Structures are given as structure tokens and as C-alpha cells.
Amino acid sequence: MIQRMNWRQGLSVSVTLIGMLAVWQLICVLFAVPAYLLPTPLDIGSRLISDGDVLLRHTGITLFEIVAGFGLSVLFGIPAAVIIVYSRYFSQAVFPLLIGLQCVPMISIAPLLITWLGFGMITQVVIAFLIAFFPIIVSAVVGLKSMEKEMNMLAMSLRASKLQIFLYFRLPRALPSIFGGFKVGITLSVVGAVVAEFVSSDRGLGYLQLVANAKLDITMQFCVIVMLAVIGLVLYNLVGLIERIALPWYRASRGGE
């Protein structure tokens, strides 16, 4: 049943995408839209093939920045969430400051990071990390605080230690929320890496799009957008796959949704 639903969903997405591309192609042809304003899907597909080596080289750089920034956000975000949940001081004093920092546009912090860290990949990774960090820590805090009082009383009645309560009760209850934060964080890491390449890089898809924009190469800009969309979809679904493998009980409790 689940396989049938996945097959139907994949077919629906494919048909919708093909229909949108066909309408796009038809509009460009019927209204003779200039390629320097809106290239056709066939033009973009042809450019993806002809300049595939260049796009793949820059994609590899951007992908490394995304994965590294996301990995750091997970590495620091989950322990920070645990500290916030178990420490009243961090919950009342530090967590509101993190929320305030998140309200500051990351593009305004980028020049400071360039001054401190230099013009290079470290800056891009740090920016991707900072953008992905907040949704991960918030989702983890919400999930870790979602354990019901009855469940906590049950664990205490079983004479479970604090570590056992965390490992066997609180953490499993929080994992769906944590993975939700991972899904948001991985997509925001894509945004962070591209924004960082706009301001402090001489390589990567963001840099390639800036070069294409300077040359009024609209087709290449669309090619970069396509590559970024593919990266985002692949990474998002990869996180979803890990979630399904790690949390089979959660999927079963939702009827295989």
C-alpha cells in the first residue's frame, strides 16, 4: 500500500513538472520571448549538458560547504539544546539571546565574518552553519520539552536514572521534532552557502551565478537555480530517508504517512 502511494506521488509530481515545463516552452515560443529575458526549458537543458563540467565543479564546492555547515549545526545544536532543557540559567538567559541573534539578517554579519575569518571557504561554512543552527536548536528544545509528565512519572516509578530517562524516554519522544529541524536546517544550509558565496568566494554556484549575472547570461543563471534545486531536494529527501530508517515506530504510528 505504501509503495503504491509512493508510486502515485512520484507519478503526480512528474506529470505536474512536465506539464509546467511544456507550458513554459509553449509560452516562450508563441510569444517569441527573447532568450536574454526568459530562456526555454530546452535551452536550459542544452546548457546543462554543454557546461556540465563547469557546473559540476562548482556544485561540488557548494555541496561541501552545505554539508559541512549543516554538520556543524547538528554537532553544536543538539548538545546546546540539551543544555538549555536541563539548565534553567541557559533556558532563561541564553536561549532568548539566541532568538535575538536569529533576528539579525545573516547577510549583515557576513562582512564581519570576512574580516575575522578571511576570504575563503571557512567563512562560507560558518555562514551556512549559523543559518542552519537556529531551527535545529529550536526544534530540539521543543522536542526535548515535549515529554509528558505522566511519562516522566512512569520512568521515575521504574527507578530509572536521569541518563536512562533521557536515553529511553525523552530522546525518543523528541526525535521526530529533531528530524523536522534537520529538514529545515539542511535547506537553509543551501541558502547560507549561496549567500556566503555571493559575498566572499571566487568559486561555487553562488559565485557562478554572480558571474553569469554580470555577463547577462540568463540561461546560466537558470542552470545554477536548477542545480541548487536538485541539491536541496536530494539532501532533504536524504534526511527524510534517514528519519524513516531511524524511526520506523514513528512512521508506523502515523499509519505509514
Side-chain angles (χ1 to χ4, degrees), residues 5 14 84 103 160 168-169 176-177 179 222 224:
M5 292 174 62
S14 300
I84 289 173
C103 297
Y168 298 114
F169 292 90
S177 180
F179 271 100
F222 272 97
V224 171

Side-chain angles (χ1 to χ4, degrees), residues 19-204:
M20 293 173 60
L21 293 176
V23 171
W24 181 354
Q25 180 77 26
L26 188 62
I27 290 175
C28 290
V29 172
L30 291 179
F31 293 96
V33 180
Y36 62 84
L37 290 179
L38 182 64
T40 66
L42 291 178
D43 292 336
I44 297 172
S46 177
R47 189 67 177 276
L48 284 168
I49 295 173
S50 62
D51 289 343
D53 55 341
V54 176
L55 286 166
L56 287 177
R57 185 171 66 251
H58 288 280
T59 297
I61 296 168
T62 301
L63 183 60
F64 174 81
E65 296 166 357
I66 293 169
V67 174
F70 175 73
L72 288 174
S73 65
V74 173
L75 183 64
F76 288 96
I78 300 303
V82 174
I83 294 174
I84 289 173
V85 170
Y86 281 93
S87 172
R88 179 174 297 181
Y89 170 78
F90 278 90
S91 178
Q92 296 180 350
V94 177
F95 193 52
L97 293 178
L98 291 176
I99 296 176
L101 289 175
Q102 180 63 23
C103 297
V104 179
M106 196 54 57
I107 192 65
S108 65
I109 300 178
L112 292 175
L113 294 176
I114 295 173
T115 302
W116 295 336
L117 302 176
F119 189 88
M121 184 171 290
I122 295 179
T123 302
Q124 286 114 50
V125 171
V126 170
I127 292 176
F129 154 71
L130 291 175
I131 290 182
F133 176 77
F134 184 76
I136 288 177
I137 191 173
V138 168
S139 299
V141 168
V142 172
L144 291 171
K145 287 185 175 181
S146 64
M147 189 177 76
E148 297 82 355
K149 291 183 178 180
E150 293 79 5
M151 185 178 294
N152 186 50
M153 293 176 64
L154 173 62
M156 294 178 64
S157 68
L158 295 174
R159 298 183 179 180
S161 65
K162 289 186 178 181
L163 180 60
Q164 289 174 326
I165 293 175
F166 174 78
L167 292 177
Y168 298 114
F169 292 90
R170 190 179 294 275
L171 182 59
R173 182 70 178 81
L175 282 176
S177 180
I178 291 174
F179 271 100
F182 287 170
K183 291 178 180 179
V184 176
I186 194 66
T187 55
L188 289 180
S189 293
V190 179
V191 177
V194 174
V195 168
E197 289 171 352
F198 282 161
V199 297
S200 66
S201 180
D202 57 357
R203 51 186 178 171

Side-chain angles (χ1 to χ4, degrees), residues 207-229:
Y207 169 77
L208 186 61
Q209 189 169 29
L210 282 180
V211 173
N213 181 64
K215 296 180 179 180
L216 298 180
D217 190 350
I218 304 299
T219 305
M220 177 56 75
Q221 293 190 54
F222 272 97
C223 290
V224 171
I225 293 173
V226 170
M227 297 302 295
L228 290 172

